[in-house]
């Protein structure tokens, strides 16, 4: 019940926006403690607070492929489907870089290609440090522009399959 | 003659026993020598006196008497030196009335004066040294329990009275000490032996009789059980053993308790570690790297520049590539067939289709490359794919026809249970080909034809007049 997409939400790429995340990963997120405790009943405003507490960007990691908080919030965004303005605001704000990264990811997966190009390309100028945790659990430092570059080019980041941009 | 008396007649009935003289079977004149254990036979007793048996006990008594008489005679004859005579003389005391002390001493004791053979001039120091040596020699106490032999070594070289006196003193001391030791030993022995006997007095006399040279021993005294040292020693040993046992037990208990405590600690530690791991707070399980952006701004900027430039370069190259492709496609569309063929040839030459197909040896194993990652194989990224997997191995290089039939297999096939190199059915055909009907000779063929009434089956010639006549 709590995992249903907002009934007012539009379809994204012709399907339930939550289905953009693979079923296996999705189930993992649903069973996660963080999801159950903190991501329940999040709104766009409370999401900002949660995003402020983010520590690193990651998909699933570790032996049992534990979903990261970033990924949980990402799915939450897909679930509540905020409006584009809101997402833009997420990206534009300069203070919380992890929120910005989150916004970028969401935009990349849901928005139209033109919007993506127009919004994400200026972000190449942002060279702030982000903590990244790879699949093995190892922490490393990446830069925001690198992250955006990945979003634009790679097929799989953070265990989510992105359609290739034209 | 057929009479009963005639010995050789048929009517002879044997001799009349009453008429013959009786001869006993036992002949006493012959002496039979019997062998008895332990006794040597007669012929061996050469050196022995066989006369003993012949003597009678009466003779023995007579002999003893004679002996005694002879002894008595001997005694009386030698009166001067015999004890008895001496005693007799001393009782009377005739000869010794006007005797002085010295004369008496002279009578008793013969003092031999030391005779000097050689006299060497000695220094005082040497003399003292000699004395010392002598003393040292005599102080060598022989602590063996046994006969206390006092060795009187009369060195004719030492004429000093002093030395002699010293020596005598030393000997006396030696004797005393030896006696003491012996006494102690005997005491111990006696105590051990006589734990049950209350009193004894026989030992005294016995020991005295044994060896008159032994000094007087301590009289063995009975020691009651309470005072006996041996018993006490035993008790002490037992006590010690018990103590040791008790200590051991105590220690074992302590160790048990210790190990228990250790185990508990360890279990607690493990539980804690598990709990910490189970909590798996996102922040706690890993050290977060520094996220600060204000550090090294200049360096960051430089790095960013590099990245940016690389990206730009990459984009350009991609665009170029795309451009080229489009151009090529357009160009090719405009080509004629011949040109296309030429172009194909050119391209083929540029990209050889595949490396030359290797010639395989007999029974060389073929290794399949696999269908995945062939783009990497083609591009040469992965070094593994650049290897040639159809190089023959050492075992594949030689002729396998030399091996027995069972071993003529590919690499890795030999020795496996159920390995059957299936070639073809005729290989395993076991029909016996020596039967007459299975051999393909002309006779058989003719016969078969005849039986099948197929006379002219294989004759493909046209019927002609020539053959017909025959």
């Amino acid at each position: 019940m709590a995992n249903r997409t907002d009934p007012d939400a539009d379809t994204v790429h012709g399907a339930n926006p939550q289905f953009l995340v693979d079923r296996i990963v999705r189930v993992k997120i649903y069973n996660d403690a963080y999801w159950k405790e903190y991501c329940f009943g999040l709104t766009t405003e409370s999401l900002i607070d949660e995003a402020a507490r983010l520590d690193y960007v990651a998909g699933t990691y570790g032996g049992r492929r534990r979903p990261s908080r970033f990924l949980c919030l990402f799915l939450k965004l897909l679930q509540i489907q905020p409006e584009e303005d809101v997402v833009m605001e997420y990206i534009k704000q300069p203070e919380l870089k992890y929120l910005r990264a989150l916004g970028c990811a969401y935009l990349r997966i849901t928005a139209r290609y033109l919007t993506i190009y127009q919004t994400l390309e200026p972000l190449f100028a942002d060279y702030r440090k982000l903590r990244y945790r790879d699949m093995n659990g190892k922490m490393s430092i990446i830069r925001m522009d690198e992250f955006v570059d990945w979003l634009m080019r790679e097929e799989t980041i953070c265990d989510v399959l992105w359609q290739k941009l034209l | 003659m057929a009479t009963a008396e005639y010995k050789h007649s048929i009517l002879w009935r044997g001799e009349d026993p009453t008429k013959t003289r009786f001869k006993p079977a036992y002949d006493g004149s012959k002496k039979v020598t019997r062998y008895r254990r332990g006794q040597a036979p007669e012929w061996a007793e050469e050196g022995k006196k066989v006369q003993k048996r012949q003597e009678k006990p009466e003779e023995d008594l007579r002999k003893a008497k004679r002996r005694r008489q002879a002894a008595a005679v001997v005694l009386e004859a030698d009166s001067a030196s015999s004890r008895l005579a001496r005693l007799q003389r001393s009782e009377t005391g005739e000869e010794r009335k006007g005797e002085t002390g010295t004369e008496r001493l002279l009578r008793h004791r013969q003092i031999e004066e030391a005779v000097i053979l050689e006299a060497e001039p000695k220094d005082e120091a040497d003399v003292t040294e000699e004395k010392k040596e002598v003393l040292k020699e005599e102080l060598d106490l022989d602590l063996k329990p046994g006969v206390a032999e006092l060795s009187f070594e009369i060195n004719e070289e030492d004429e000093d009275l002093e030395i002699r006196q010293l020596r005598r003193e030393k000997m006396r001391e030696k004797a005393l000490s030896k006696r003491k030791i012996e006494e102690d030993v005997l005491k111990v022995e006696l105590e051990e032996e006589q734990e049950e006997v209350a009193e004894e007095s026989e030992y005294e006399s016995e020991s005295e009789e044994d060896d008159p040279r032994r000094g007087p021993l301590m009289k063995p005294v009975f020691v009651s059980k309470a005072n006996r040292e041996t018993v006490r020693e035993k008790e002490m040993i037992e006590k010690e053993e018990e103590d040791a046992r008790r200590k051991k037990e105590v220690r074992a208990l302590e160790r048990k308790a210790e190990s228990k405590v250790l185990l508990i600690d360890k279990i607690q530690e493990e539980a804690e570690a598990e709990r910490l791991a189970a909590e798996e707070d996102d922040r706690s399980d890993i050290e977060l790297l520094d996220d600060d952006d204000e550090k090294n701004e200049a360096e960051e900027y430089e790095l960013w520049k590099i990245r940016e430039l690389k990206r730009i370069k990459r984009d350009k190259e991609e665009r170029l590539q795309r451009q080229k492709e489009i151009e090529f496609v357009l160009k090719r569309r405009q080509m004629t067939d011949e040109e296309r063929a030429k172009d194909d040839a050119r391209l083929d030459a540029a990209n050889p289709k595949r490396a030359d197909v290797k010639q395989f040896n007999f029974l060389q194993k073929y290794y399949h490359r696999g269908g995945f990652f062939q783009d990497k194989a083609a591009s040469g990224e992965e070094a593994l794919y650049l290897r040639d997997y159809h190089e023959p191995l050492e075992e594949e290089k030689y002729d396998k026809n030399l091996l027995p039939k069972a071993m003529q297999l590919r690499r890795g096939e030999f020795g496996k249970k159920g390995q059957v190199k299936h070639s073809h059915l005729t290989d395993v055909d076991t029909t016996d080909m020596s039967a007459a009907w299975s051999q393909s000779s002309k006779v058989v063929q003719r016969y078969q034809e005849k039986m099948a009434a197929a006379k002219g089956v294989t004759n493909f010639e046209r019927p002609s007049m020539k053959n017909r006549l025959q």
Side-chain angles (χ1 to χ4, degrees):
Chain A
M1 204 219 102
N3 290 331
R4 247 183 36 187
T5 327
D6 188 6
D8 296 333
D10 298 328
T11 59
V12 177
H13 300 302
N16 189 338
Q18 281 200 78
F19 291 172
L20 287 165
V21 180
D22 282 353
R23 191 175 166 278
I24 298 165
V25 180
R26 217 181 334 126
V27 168
K28 283 216 163 88
I29 297 169
Y30 292 156
N31 295 331
D32 191 44
Y34 179 73
W35 171 268
K36 287 179 185 173
E37 196 181 338
Y38 293 96
C39 299
F40 181 78
L42 271 185
T43 61
T44 43
E45 290 87 30
S46 43
L47 196 132
I48 298 168
D49 300 326
E50 282 299 320
R53 303 219 321 257
L54 275 178
D55 274 327
Y56 49 84
V57 174
T60 55
Y61 63 91
R64 65 181 177 100
R65 306 297 293 281
R66 195 159 170 258
S68 66
R69 290 185 186 186
F70 184 84
L71 199 60
C72 295
L73 291 175
F74 179 76
L75 187 64
K76 197 69 197 175
L77 274 175
L78 285 171
Q79 206 177 47
I80 57 178
Q81 208 183 66
E83 288 155 31
E84 223 173 275
D85 315 335
V86 179
V87 181
M88 285 299 183
E89 281 306 317
Y90 284 167
I91 295 169
K92 277 185 197 166
Q93 57 82 32
E95 291 102 28
L96 303 169
K97 51 190 179 182
Y98 290 101
L99 181 60
R100 189 180 259 192
L102 194 64
C104 290
Y106 178 74
L107 195 83
R108 167 67 180 82
I109 205 165
T110 52
R112 295 177 156 262
Y113 299 126
L114 206 61
T115 331
I116 295 168
Y117 275 112
Q118 281 173 345
T119 329
L120 292 185
E121 280 211 340
L123 288 174
F124 278 120
D126 183 2
Y127 55 87
R128 284 187 291 184
K129 286 191 229 175
L130 289 171
R131 284 190 212 102
Y132 175 69
R133 194 166 192 181
D134 67 0
M135 223 194 293
N136 302 323
K138 198 178 165 203
M139 288 285 246
S140 56
I141 297 276
I142 58 167
R143 305 307 191 291
M144 181 76 83
D145 56 300
E146 277 178 12
F147 181 66
V148 173
D149 194 32
W150 288 351
L151 283 171
M152 302 275 270
R153 297 188 150 267
E154 297 289 321
E155 278 183 24
T156 321
I157 330 160
C158 306
D159 276 325
V160 178
L161 289 168
W162 316 84
Q163 285 96 356
K164 271 211 153 164
L165 292 174
L166 287 168
Chain B
M1 277 190 282
T3 50
E5 290 84 25
Y6 183 56
K7 210 167 164 186
H8 301 289
S9 87
I10 199 167
L11 301 166
W12 172 256
R13 294 184 72 186
E15 274 190 13
D16 190 358
T18 55
K19 294 218 175 122
T20 57
R21 189 157 169 249
F22 174 69
K23 271 187 198 165
Y26 171 68
D27 185 13
S29 61
K30 272 196 206 169
K31 186 143 192 193
V32 179
T33 52
R34 295 226 176 266
Y35 168 69
R36 295 207 191 278
R37 292 183 293 186
Q39 269 184 14
E42 265 186 19
W43 49 265
E45 294 179 54
E46 286 170 348
K48 252 193 173 181
K49 299 173 207 166
V50 197
Q51 298 148 3
K52 265 192 180 174
R53 285 213 155 191
Q54 295 164 5
E55 267 186 278
K56 291 172 189 174
E58 293 168 325
E59 285 183 10
D60 283 344
L61 285 168
R62 264 180 263 145
K63 272 202 173 175
K65 223 182 182 180
R66 248 181 270 142
R67 258 185 256 135
R68 260 182 268 136
Q69 282 170 2
V73 166
V74 166
L75 269 168
E76 287 170 18
D78 202 2
S79 59
S81 60
S82 70
R83 203 174 175 197
L84 184 64
R86 240 190 293 140
L87 280 167
Q88 286 169 353
R89 260 188 284 134
S90 65
E91 276 171 20
T92 53
E94 305 150 350
E95 299 156 8
R96 291 184 259 118
K97 275 185 185 167
E99 225 180 38
T100 55
T102 47
E103 283 176 17
R104 204 172 89 237
L105 273 171
L106 282 168
R107 205 175 8 98
H108 280 297
R109 208 158 136 232
Q110 303 290 327
I111 300 169
E112 285 183 19
E113 287 292 333
V115 176
I116 307 166
L117 293 172
E118 277 179 16
E120 285 176 16
K122 295 171 198 166
D123 295 330
E124 282 200 347
D126 286 346
V127 167
T128 50
E129 273 186 34
E130 272 194 351
K131 278 191 198 170
K132 279 184 189 168
E133 282 176 26
V134 165
L135 291 170
K136 269 188 193 168
E137 276 180 301
E138 279 148 26
L139 281 170
D140 269 331
L141 298 171
D142 187 15
L143 294 173
K144 278 185 252 166
V147 176
E149 287 185 3
L150 307 172
S151 51
F152 289 94
E153 290 173 3
I154 304 166
N155 285 337
E156 290 171 331
E157 293 172 8
D158 292 325
E159 69 177 319
D160 271 344
L161 207 73
E162 254 188 1
I163 292 172
R164 235 194 273 157
Q165 279 180 3
L166 277 162
R167 212 192 289 134
R168 270 182 232 137
E169 281 177 6
K170 297 305 159 201
M171 292 222 189
R172 250 177 261 141
E173 281 176 30
K174 227 200 217 175
L176 270 169
S177 58
K178 278 192 184 174
R179 241 185 261 157
K180 252 201 168 179
I181 290 158
E182 272 186 39
E183 281 167 25
D184 289 344
V185 166
L186 267 170
K187 196 178 175 187
V188 169
E189 281 178 346
L190 288 164
E191 280 176 3
E192 284 178 20
E193 285 171 18
Q194 295 170 8
E195 281 182 343
E196 284 143 17
V197 178
E199 280 180 301
E200 82 298 321
S201 54
E202 295 160 3
Y203 275 71
E204 218 179 336
S205 50
E206 267 188 37
S207 62
E208 277 194 340
E209 282 176 4
D210 264 348
D211 193 358
R213 283 180 291 171
R214 278 197 195 194
L217 299 164
M218 295 282 283
K219 177 180 171 192
V221 176
F222 174 72
V223 183
S224 66
K225 221 174 197 176
N227 302 333
R228 274 178 227 159
E229 280 184 24
T230 50
V231 177
R232 246 182 259 157
E233 279 173 17
K234 263 195 201 170
E235 282 177 9
M236 272 182 64
I237 290 164
E238 277 179 27
K239 235 189 186 180
E240 278 173 26
E241 280 180 11
E242 251 206 70
D243 282 336
R245 230 188 303 134
R246 246 180 263 145
K247 273 189 192 168
K248 257 192 186 177
E249 284 175 19
V250 168
R251 240 182 290 152
L253 282 168
E254 276 178 19
R255 244 184 265 154
K256 260 192 181 174
E258 265 184 50
S259 62
K260 253 192 184 172
V261 168
L262 277 170
L263 188 68
I264 289 166
D265 282 337
K266 222 183 180 181
I267 290 169
Q268 274 179 353
E269 274 178 30
E270 281 180 13
E272 270 192 50
E274 268 191 56
R275 235 180 294 138
L276 285 170
E279 274 173 6
E280 277 212 75
D281 201 15
D282 264 5
R283 299 167 204 245
S284 67
D285 59 349
I286 196 161
E287 275 178 40
L288 291 174
L289 302 168
D290 192 14
D291 206 2
D292 200 5
D293 293 314
E294 267 127 61
K295 279 188 183 178
N296 299 334
E297 276 208 38
E299 204 185 298
E300 288 288 311
Y301 180 66
E302 292 299 314
L303 287 169
W304 173 80
K305 251 210 245 173
I306 292 165
R307 263 181 276 131
E308 189 65 26
L309 288 167
K310 275 192 183 164
R311 266 176 285 189
I312 291 163
K313 188 178 166 190
R314 189 184 57 192
D315 286 342
K316 255 198 200 159
E317 278 179 2
E318 279 174 5
R319 215 168 288 154
L320 253 166
Q321 198 98 34
R322 186 95 182 100
Q323 197 80 35
K324 269 191 189 167
E325 248 185 83
I326 293 162
E327 276 177 23
F328 176 72
V329 166
L330 282 169
K331 197 173 152 195
R332 198 146 160 116
R333 278 183 196 157
Q334 290 160 8
M335 271 188 204
T336 56
D337 280 330
E338 296 97 6
E339 282 170 357
R340 274 192 202 135
K342 266 194 247 169
D343 203 27
D344 282 342
R346 183 180 57 87
L347 284 167
D348 286 341
N351 304 340
K353 230 193 174 173
R354 204 189 284 181
D356 300 323
V357 179
K358 256 193 136 62
Q359 271 298 328
F360 286 85
N361 294 347
F362 179 55
L363 292 179
Q364 188 179 335
K365 194 171 174 111
Y366 169 71
Y367 172 75
H368 190 264
R369 210 178 302 142
F372 300 99
F373 301 107
Q374 290 314 309
D375 54 337
K376 292 210 172 143
S379 65
E381 275 175 350
E382 186 61 58
L384 277 173
Y385 292 108
L386 298 171
R387 295 185 190 175
D388 180 19
Y389 289 98
H390 292 136
E391 261 310 303
L393 265 71
E394 283 305 315
E395 62 186 0
E396 289 167 347
K397 279 185 186 164
Y398 66 88
D399 185 19
K400 288 208 173 165
N401 287 318
L402 304 169
L403 288 171
K405 199 83 169 67
M407 289 186 78
Q408 284 175 19
L409 300 164
R410 275 178 240 284
R411 148 168 56 114
E413 285 177 356
F414 177 66
K416 288 191 174 165
K417 178 181 165 186
Q419 169 62 40
V420 170
K421 189 187 174 185
H422 175 75
S423 37
H424 42 278
L425 271 176
T426 51
D427 195 29
V428 289
D429 192 1
T430 53
T431 45
D432 188 12
M433 296 295 183
S434 56
W437 55 83
S438 63
Q439 281 162 24
S440 55
S441 63
K442 196 143 194 206
V443 177
V444 171
Q445 195 187 5
R446 282 274 173 81
Y447 171 76
Q448 280 180 346
E449 281 175 9
K450 195 175 179 190
M451 296 314 287
K455 190 177 175 188
V457 168
T458 50
N459 188 14
F460 294 113
E461 283 178 2
R462 278 212 190 122
S464 64
M465 291 299 284
K466 258 197 285 176
N467 297 338
R468 210 173 149 208
L469 283 169
Q470 283 178 7

